[in-house]
Amino acid sequence: MAPKRPKGAGAFPQPVEHPVPKPPDPSALYAALDLGTNSCRMLIAQPKGSQFHVVDSFSKSVQLGHGLEQSGKLSRSSMARTVNAMRVCRQKLQRHKVTNMRLVATEACRRARNSQHFINQVRRETGLTLEIIEPEEEARLAVISCAPLVSTKSEQLLVVDIGGGSTELVWIDLTNVPPRERPRAIMRLHSGFTQDPGPFAAAKVVDWISVPLGVATLRDQFADVEDDSARFALMSWFFEESLEKFAPSASEQARDGFQIIGTSGTVTTVAASHLGLRRYDRTKVDGLRMTSDQIDTVIQGYLKLGEAGRRADPRIGKDRQALIMSGAAILQTLMRLWPTDRLSVADRGLREGLLYQQMSMDGVLEDVPY
């Protein structure tokens, strides 16, 4: 007997419809662009609880400050590269119809004699208006970006932002802030380092400094030194000399309750090297705690590789290899000077701080524990 044909056999299959993700409301989006000495980076995000969700991003090495140490001016080629990157940013902003934004420039534009000419060129060719911010605001934005990484056990906090043209250090006393409130107290610094705490216990900024030495400017200071190890030692010594007047250097600090948070491409690259990541993974790096010995092991490994070896190392990357040893000299100096053997790694910085600042001022972040 022939088998019966199943009921419905041969029927045209019904398509399974997946709902198209609803695009975010443009009025709920915020953008932050950080134009530094070496890189142009942008984030577009929307508030989500006490944090934010990234909708789009952009990052490119533009080397805006290349040659600035010698000439005191931004070169035509550097400005052209940067304007091209800014055009891409403009396209992303237009695509998402973003109206809430802050687009800032830092050390290279602060120092260059022709920075206003460059700002005018960017506005003329892209329609975007760059704002040159002062070192204190740059330091403050780096601090608030790291608020989610502040330990409730931290009584003394040092936040370090190693940039391309400068390094910002901020020392904060949290002893009068209840432990669970410490991350939130850091976030409240978005309005200024000196503030009226009102009903809240305030984080006290003991001292801050902006050293005009970053990974690019420190490298350029010793570009004529051929020996790799000698150049590294000189960079470390030179950077340490620049910290002489920073308050924590003047007296010995207690080891217990002291936390250092480092934010920069240098710090995240060292962390990625420590983890052996051949492909960078932010989820594994952001918030990682590294010991001084682990940091030293990575840096000694860089020195053993030499310039050719570092250039070929996928954990460092072609864009970072020319700058990694000057950044490593800064990082190793900081870990030697202060009383802790651990560093909290932050894959966050000025862009995130700009987003938190805008969202906090608009009251769109929920006031919930971190």
Side-chain angles (χ1 to χ4, degrees):
M1 183 171 136
K4 290 186 178 181
R5 184 178 176 84
K7 187 177 180 180
F12 194 81
Q14 296 295 313
V16 178
E17 295 187 4
H18 295 285
V20 177
K22 185 178 179 181
D25 179 1
S27 66
L29 293 179
Y30 291 79
L33 183 143
D34 166 21
L35 177 59
T37 302
N38 192 56
S39 302
C40 175
R41 295 179 289 186
M42 184 179 73
L43 287 178
I44 298 174
Q46 62 184 137
K48 187 177 183 180
S50 64
Q51 306 288 312
F52 55 76
H53 169 69
V54 174
V55 174
D56 204 348
S57 64
F58 175 80
S59 180
K60 187 172 182 61
S61 173
V62 294
Q63 299 179 46
L64 178 61
H66 183 70
L68 179 61
E69 284 290 307
Q70 291 76 31
S71 68
K73 297 172 66 177
L74 304 175
S75 70
R76 289 185 179 182
S77 58
S78 296
M79 291 191 289
R81 283 194 302 271
T82 305
V83 169
N84 286 335
M86 297 286 288
R87 287 195 181 100
V88 178
C89 294
R90 178 197 60 193
Q91 291 169 359
K92 288 177 176 286
L93 291 167
Q94 290 177 339
R95 185 186 313 139
H96 294 286
K97 302 177 182 178
V98 183
T99 57
N100 306 308
M101 66 182 82
R102 278 195 78 189
L103 318 176
V104 307
T106 56
E107 186 68 12
C109 287
R110 285 196 293 260
R111 295 175 61 184
R113 296 198 303 270
N114 61 338
S115 58
Q116 191 55 55
H117 169 78
F118 169 67
I119 298 290
N120 293 341
Q121 181 183 350
V122 169
R123 185 186 300 115
R124 185 172 60 252
E125 298 190 27
T126 70
L128 300 178
T129 301
L130 279 170
E131 170 191 359
I132 302 176
I133 60 172
E134 293 299 317
E136 179 178 340
E137 183 171 15
E138 183 178 359
R140 190 168 72 242
L141 291 168
V143 167
I144 64 174
S145 75
C146 296
L149 301 182
V150 175
S151 169
T152 56
K153 297 179 181 179
S154 294
E155 295 186 347
Q156 304 294 325
L157 174 68
L158 180 64
V159 178
V160 180
D161 180 15
I162 307 172
S166 65
T167 298
E168 280 67 45
L169 296 91
V170 185
W171 178 29
I172 303 167
D173 186 345
L174 293 166
T175 52
N176 292 327
V177 181
R180 285 179 58 83
E181 288 292 316
R182 286 169 184 172
R184 201 174 350 231
I186 295 297
M187 182 65 75
R188 285 195 289 268
L189 291 173
H190 73 83
S191 59
F193 279 162
T194 302
Q195 56 180 297
D196 178 5
F200 306 105
K204 179 184 177 183
V205 177
V206 178
D207 197 9
W208 72 276
I209 187 173
S210 180
V211 181
L213 292 170
V215 293
T217 46
L218 184 58
R219 176 201 59 187
D220 292 347
Q221 289 280 348
F222 299 96
D224 58 337
V225 180
E226 294 184 4
D227 184 79
D228 202 32
S229 297
R231 184 168 59 247
F232 179 79
L234 285 168
M235 289 189 296
S236 181
W237 163 81
F238 192 65
F239 184 78
E240 183 174 348
E241 289 290 300
S242 67
L243 298 175
E244 185 180 1
K245 296 181 180 178
F246 186 48
S249 304
S251 58
E252 187 173 342
Q253 305 299 319
R255 176 175 290 270
D256 293 340
F258 192 100
Q259 182 183 12
I260 296 182
I261 299 179
T263 170
S264 72
T266 294
V267 175
T268 56
T269 300
V270 169
S273 294
H274 165 65
L275 294 172
L277 301 181
R278 298 184 69 83
R279 183 183 294 274
Y280 187 79
D281 186 343
R282 183 183 187 275
T283 61
K284 294 180 179 179
V285 170
D286 188 48
L288 177 72
R289 298 186 72 195
M290 293 185 68
T291 67
S292 300
D293 288 345
Q294 289 169 340
I295 292 170
D296 287 343
T297 297
V298 171
I299 293 174
Q300 290 305 312
Y302 289 163
L303 286 169
K304 289 178 182 177
L305 283 172
E307 291 186 38
R310 293 193 295 269
R311 196 174 296 115
D313 192 327
R315 301 170 304 168
I316 299 173
K318 293 181 180 178
D319 287 345
R320 179 62 51 183
Q321 63 84 20
L323 303 169
I324 189 61
M325 294 317 297
S326 50
I330 294 172
L331 178 58
Q332 193 174 66
T333 300
L334 295 172
M335 295 304 294
R336 185 176 69 248
L337 290 178
W338 280 288
T340 180
D341 58 0
R342 290 189 180 274
L343 171 81
S344 299
V345 178
D347 185 349
R348 51 188 71 212
L350 193 54
R351 293 177 302 170
E352 289 81 0
L354 286 163
L355 289 172
Y356 280 133
Q357 181 191 57
Q358 293 177 81
M359 293 176 185
S360 294
M361 292 178 70
D362 287 353
V364 295
L365 292 177
E366 295 179 14
D367 191 20
V368 298
Y370 286 93

